[in-house]
Amino acid sequence: MNDELVNDITPPVEQENYDKDLPKGEKAVHNTEVRKRIDDLLEKKRLKELLDDSDDWDI
C-alpha cells in the first residue's frame, strides 16, 4: 500500500525561468507607469469612499 502512495506522488516541477516572459525596455517602463497610475486611482477611489461614507461631516 505504501508503494501505491509513493507512485502517485508527482516529482517536483523544475523552477522555470520566468524572467524571459517579463517585458523589457520601453514596454516594461510603460507597464510600470500604467500600474502606478492604476494604483493611484484605486487609492483615490478608496479614500473618496471613506470620506463619502463618513457621517461626521456637518454642513
Side-chain angles (χ1 to χ4, degrees):
M1 186 167 175
N2 283 339
D3 291 336
E4 292 175 11
L5 292 176
V6 171
N7 289 337
D8 289 340
I9 298 174
T10 58
V13 178
E14 291 182 26
Q15 182 72 19
E16 295 184 24
N17 186 3
Y18 293 108
D19 291 341
K20 67 181 179 181
D21 296 332
L22 296 175
K24 295 173 180 62
E26 289 182 30
K27 188 169 185 175
V29 171
H30 175 73
N31 288 349
T32 302
E33 291 171 353
V34 169
R35 172 52 56 194
K36 184 178 182 323
R37 177 70 174 145
I38 290 171
D39 290 342
D40 290 346
L41 291 172
L42 288 173
E43 180 66 7
K44 184 176 180 181
K45 179 181 176 183
R46 185 186 72 82
L47 293 172
K48 184 178 183 324
E49 288 173 353
L50 286 174
L51 287 173
D52 288 347
D53 290 341
S54 177
D55 294 331
D56 299 347
W57 299 98
D58 291 328
I59 300 179

